[in-house]
Amino acid sequence: AVSARATWTGNGAGEVGGAMQIGAESVKLTPASWQGGKLALVAPVAASLAVQVDDGAGKPSPFRLNAWPTETAMLGERVFLNTTGSAVWKLPAGRWDVWLHHGPERGSYATTVDLVAGETTSLTASLPVAVTTTGWVACDMHIHSEHSADSGAPISQRMRGAVVEGLDYVVATDHDFVTDYTPWLDEVGLSDRLTVRSGVEVSTALIGHFNVWPVAVDPTRSGNGAPAWYGKEAVDLIAMLRGPANERIVQCNHARDGTSYFDRIELDATTIEPAWVGFDAIELLNGVRMSSFDLVRADWATLMARGIRLVATGTSDSHSVPSAIGGARTYVWLGSDKDGQPRDVQGRFAPADVETALRAGRAFATSGPILLIQASNGGTQASIGDTLTAVSGVVKVHASVHTPAWVKLGTLELWLGDAKIASADVSAVPAVGGQITASLQATLPGGADGFVYAVLRPGTASSKPGLAHEAQAVTNPVFIDGDGDGKWH
């Protein structure tokens, strides 16, 4: 005997997601019950949840809705995305815990609703800005969609998800296939909300994986114009990916997962020839492999101390709709234009502006919290990506983390190269006005070269589902030129 059960796999709005959304009772099939080759499965009457969300100032706001049934008989979390601020979804009747969210810069809303079969329950909420990030562009440079063999995420939902999670700039990085997100972005009416870039994840069999962008779509070539990596050694591959004029950004992906690039080449960061690490950026935070952070950070710090400058990035490596785009991300500093207007607003920056700032290291990687660092010597200050000349006196280093009150923090650290110079438990810092701000200071003697950066480590309390991972971040360095020769190493 076997049993059969029908389930609705949509999300209640005609989109992928929400598996086991509405299910019929299972029917046991035996020779006696199987008559005439017909089977009747009757689904229960669904309930409707109508949701309206604003930004705290009366304007409709995009949002993500996570819902969990409180009754164990209805297994499974549901994840819904909406970019208009208003939606109606169908769910099985019963009691549900609900969380509303619009990225790590906004407040959140949590409640419990009782849904009745055949009836509509209304829910309204506000998601005001909790942390201001003026001048910073939120980026995800590692995303997969239906054009990757290991992803079934529709591109239209990838675009909605990027806006819902508060991203400004995303790069298409399907495995060995170049995707241009523009047609799908236009289709869902979000071309004024998001900047997209065509790229590819070069997924070699024996060397590792590298993201490269921008890459032009070429339908006449294999993989829509993806780079042909087969048979190339690492040094030649990296040089090819960068292009003849180093016009592309090359990022080393998940460098330490047992089978990735640093593992494959058995990296010794103290002796490796620079050509073997001739990429521009390296994932210190990868949303699928967050636990490898310390291994990659140690390699990165050792290479940086040798003068091999690599930009630290954070990416989601998201492969599915429930796995949020931007779960790990990179904030890139664009500042203001000549008229004093912030350049992080859509339409005020071009993709190349983001890439220029990224190459300069004006960025930090994070699972959500805003992590900043500054260094000063006398009346001179330097921020992320800058070089501070400090031939005498002292260098004062200041790190700060800013996050909405719903995020749970852990430990804030300051590092000089591969040496930790200060640490503080910031898990109990209270929220003020819906925001948590924590800081850490250290003092260094002038007259020595080096680089300083900040690290935020997770605590014991969870920030899920608002954050896809616990609160973690790392800045790119402030460089210190201690002998006045114009170099930091």
Side-chain angles (χ1 to χ4, degrees), residues 157-463:
Q157 278 187 278
R158 301 275 80 179
M159 299 298 90
R160 291 189 184 97
V163 171
V164 162
E165 299 300 333
L167 292 169
D168 304 302
Y169 166 103
V170 298
V171 182
T173 55
D174 288 305
H175 292 293
D176 297 310
F177 191 92
V178 183
T179 302
D180 179 5
Y181 283 155
T182 304
W184 287 270
L185 192 63
D186 293 340
E187 175 189 312
V188 295
L190 297 174
S191 57
D192 62 339
R193 305 291 298 272
L194 185 66
T195 296
V196 297
R197 202 62 151 157
S198 297
V200 62
E201 182 169 19
V202 176
S203 308
T204 76
L206 297 177
I207 299 176
H209 291 191
F210 303 87
N211 281 353
V212 55
W213 75 93
V215 180
V217 171
D218 185 352
T220 68
R221 294 180 52 217
S222 175
N224 232 17
W229 51 261
Y230 182 76
K232 287 186 168 55
E233 299 295 336
V235 173
D236 295 335
L237 174 65
I238 293 168
M240 179 195 74
L241 295 180
R242 295 193 69 170
N246 291 336
E247 67 271 21
R248 303 190 194 105
I249 292 180
V250 179
Q251 173 181 278
C252 181
N253 294 345
H254 41 79
R256 288 284 193 189
D257 70 354
T259 61
S260 287
Y261 183 58
F262 284 179
D263 304 300
R264 295 290 195 181
I265 65 172
E266 298 181 350
L267 174 78
D268 182 342
T270 63
T271 60
I272 190 77
E273 290 294 324
W276 286 79
V277 286
F279 29 83
D280 305 280
I282 182 170
E283 291 179 339
L284 261 63
L285 294 180
N286 175 283
V288 179
R289 303 163 181 85
M290 297 290 279
S291 61
S292 66
F293 168 74
D294 277 314
L295 291 173
V296 183
R297 186 212 56 79
D299 290 327
W300 170 75
T302 301
L303 293 169
M304 293 281 282
R306 294 178 54 200
I308 302 173
R309 188 167 175 175
L310 301 173
V311 178
T313 60
T315 69
S316 68
D317 198 1
S318 173
H319 282 69
S320 66
V321 173
S323 174
I325 289 178
R329 62 182 65 192
T330 304
Y331 279 87
V332 178
W333 174 250
L334 294 187
S336 302
D337 62 20
K338 62 181 180 179
D339 298 319
Q341 297 297 316
R343 296 178 64 212
D344 58 305
V345 178
Q346 293 293 326
R348 291 186 187 158
F349 68 88
D353 298 330
V354 178
E355 290 138 24
T356 297
L358 183 67
R359 288 182 189 273
R362 304 186 187 282
F364 64 89
T366 181
S367 66
I370 307 304
L371 182 61
L372 306 175
I373 185 172
Q374 284 190 329
S376 62
N377 175 249
T380 305
Q381 285 191 338
S383 299
I384 297 173
D386 293 337
T387 298
L388 177 72
T389 301
V391 297
S392 61
V394 298
V395 176
K396 296 180 179 179
V397 185
H398 178 269
S400 60
V401 58
H402 312 265
T403 191
W406 54 265
V407 175
K408 310 302 181 184
L409 300 180
T411 304
L412 184 58
E413 302 171 346
L414 282 171
W415 289 72
L416 173 65
D418 201 25
K420 189 191 306 181
I421 58 174
S423 177
D425 182 347
V426 295
S427 61
V429 175
V432 177
Q435 178 183 155
I436 298 172
T437 299
S439 61
L440 180 64
Q441 293 80 34
T443 301
L444 302 170
D449 288 352
F451 58 98
V452 291
Y453 56 98
V455 172
L456 176 68
R457 295 187 182 274
T460 57
S462 177
S463 300

Side-chain angles (χ1 to χ4, degrees), residues 96-155:
W96 292 83
D97 293 326
V98 173
W99 171 285
L100 297 172
H101 168 84
H102 179 32
E105 302 167 24
R106 299 293 192 101
S108 65
Y109 181 84
T111 189
T112 299
V113 293
D114 290 299
L115 303 182
V116 179
E119 297 184 9
T120 299
T121 299
S122 296
L123 176 63
T124 60
S126 293
L127 302 176
V129 173
V131 179
T132 301
T133 57
T134 304
W136 291 95
V137 173
C139 310
D140 193 346
M141 292 92 67
H142 194 167
I143 297 170
H144 293 275
S145 73
E146 59 195 285
H147 287 176
S148 285
D150 57 356
S151 173
I155 299 176

